[in-house]
Amino acid sequence: MDDEKRQQDDWANSRKNRLPSFTEVLSRRTRPPVDLFMFYLFLQREGAEDILDFWLDVQQHENLCRAYFKDVRKSGRAIKDDWPQYWDYARRRGSIYGTVVGLSPEGGGTKRSTASTGELLTEQDRRNLAAVGDEKGGQGVRSTSPRPSGAASPSEAHENPPRSSTPFSLSGRTPTLFNLKRASRAPTVIPRSAAITKMDLIASAERIFYRYLSPAGNAVNSNESHEIYLPPALRIHTFPLSSSQEPKSQTELALMAQIPDLFHAQKEYRFRAMEQDAFPRFLRAKAFGNLTPISALVRLILGLICLWIGLAVGFSLIFLDVHPKSKRFFLFIPFALAILFLVSHQYELDPILVFFGQSETTPFRTLTIREPYVKKLLIGRAIWVTVLVTAFTVALSLLFWAVPGHRL
């Protein structure tokens, strides 16, 4: 426990003069407003939260597999004896669990899997799989995941793979800012009331496949389809195992051996895509600003209204030649509000909220800024915005005060 706390303190000290990395955000080492929760909200506003959902679910699947291997070793059994098909596969292809299962690094068994399912299946495996499908009436091995009666079977999906045209998972849904519940997710806590079995691993992989990788038509309705974009080389078109039927044939046992590493290449691809695209934009939005797009738009509208009021009153005082002239100084009120709202919209930063240590999560809802370096950056930018607002307000107020009155 002390080592873990010391490690967290070291991470916190190392981030005093830098922004967090994507890995630190995903591993929940960061604080608001650059934590995982805020990143999820950022993706949700863009309708791309399914990408993060997929990464988290695959991470949970890999944790489940890792827990299974650890349980086997704690029971005194060897992975080689408990699961010989996986042991043989991991020695030949490599596995991300090489250290856990006891594979020798010199033997090349600890390398990461980077091939898709289609690449992992040999020609003989495909012929055997086709034979299994023929024995079951030409429909392949069925899954317990719900599909409508008219939906394509896994074998049909393999023949007609989906053609995704967008890097995000836009399935016709309107993204909402407040609905944070993620339905049909793999559990975030691994249930330990019973020993983890190989069928649990199959069920976990099956859930991920039918939620994120299968064609949209395989779901009962569009709300259950969250297909994400993957390049053709990483697409998985079929899931020929079932969580309700234990594999028996040699082909099914060989396919089951791939379950622990099945989605790792896809997970790494989505990680790199988020790290290079969404994450930099997230840092710009949250480390250099504290407003959501809707809130910034509202400030733009309010700023234009206040500016119109200020100009209308100012010109009225001039052309009605109102005395005393000092009354014009009250124009600083609408001008200050207008400039504050307009500059806040431009920078997507409200200096008042920053000085109170707040950053927006969803429109007009805030949380406390706790990341030290981000807080320092936002305070610096808030001071700059305050200087700009003050300068423009003083300039406009003096300009309307200095203009001589002329009654029309």
Side-chain angles (χ1 to χ4, degrees), residues 301-323:
I301 297 173
L302 292 176
L304 293 175
I305 293 175
C306 290
L307 182 61
W308 179 83
I309 292 174
L311 293 175
V313 173
F315 283 114
S316 298
L317 293 176
I318 291 173
F319 292 120
L320 292 177
D321 196 16
V322 175
H323 292 281

Side-chain angles (χ1 to χ4, degrees), residues 273-291:
M274 287 189 292
E275 185 179 40
Q276 296 170 8
D277 179 31
F279 185 65
R281 289 186 287 107
F282 166 71
L283 286 183
R284 283 196 297 270
K286 292 304 174 185
F288 299 96
N290 66 338
L291 298 179

Side-chain angles (χ1 to χ4, degrees), residues 97-274:
Y97 313 97
T99 304
V100 179
V101 301
L103 288 171
S104 172
E106 291 77 7
T110 59
K111 65 180 181 179
R112 290 173 178 252
S113 173
T114 57
S116 67
T117 298
E119 294 169 326
L120 295 177
L121 291 177
T122 64
E123 191 62 35
Q124 182 61 38
D125 290 336
R126 292 191 181 93
R127 286 197 295 268
N128 292 339
L129 186 57
V132 172
D134 293 338
E135 293 173 1
K136 295 182 178 291
Q139 297 180 354
V141 182
R142 291 184 300 162
S143 168
T144 57
S145 298
R147 279 205 312 272
S149 58
S153 66
S155 59
E156 293 171 344
H158 181 66
E159 294 173 1
N160 300 287
R163 291 290 179 260
S164 301
S165 58
T166 171
F168 299 114
S169 175
L170 302 178
S171 54
R173 300 178 296 113
T174 301
T176 172
L177 297 175
F178 299 97
N179 181 17
L180 306 182
K181 183 178 179 182
R182 303 185 312 198
S184 305
R185 279 288 318 279
T188 56
V189 178
I190 299 176
R192 302 294 286 172
S193 58
I196 299 173
T197 66
K198 296 187 186 73
M199 297 306 295
D200 293 330
L201 306 186
I202 293 178
S204 174
E206 182 182 52
R207 180 170 54 247
I208 291 173
F209 172 79
Y210 279 103
R211 179 170 171 80
Y212 301 107
L213 305 180
S214 66
N218 284 0
V220 174
N221 57 65
S222 60
N223 290 331
E224 293 182 1
S225 175
H226 303 275
E227 183 185 1
I228 63 171
Y229 170 82
L230 289 171
L234 293 179
R235 291 175 188 170
I236 301 176
H237 303 305
T238 61
F239 191 84
L241 299 175
S242 172
S243 59
S244 62
Q245 181 179 350
E246 188 171 352
K248 296 179 181 180
S249 68
Q250 290 298 320
T251 300
E252 291 178 334
L253 291 174
L255 293 174
M256 186 174 67
Q258 304 177 29
I259 289 296
D261 297 277
L262 183 60
F263 306 112
H264 185 72
Q266 291 78 8
K267 172 191 166 189
E268 291 292 291
Y269 173 81
R270 291 306 343 171
F271 175 90
R272 291 191 295 270
M274 287 189 292

Side-chain angles (χ1 to χ4, degrees), residues 8 31 71 74 104 164 188 276 289 294 299 317 331 374:
Q8 291 177 351
R31 301 173 182 177
D71 286 349
K74 287 179 181 179
S104 172
S164 301
T188 56
Q276 296 170 8
I294 292 179
R299 280 167 169 77
L317 293 176
L331 290 173
V374 171

Side-chain angles (χ1 to χ4, degrees), residues 58-76:
V58 174
Q59 181 70 24
Q60 177 65 25
H61 171 73
E62 293 179 352
N63 289 340
L64 188 70
C65 296
R66 192 170 284 107
Y68 171 81
F69 292 131
K70 288 182 178 179
D71 286 349
V72 171
R73 298 191 69 177
K74 287 179 181 179
S75 67

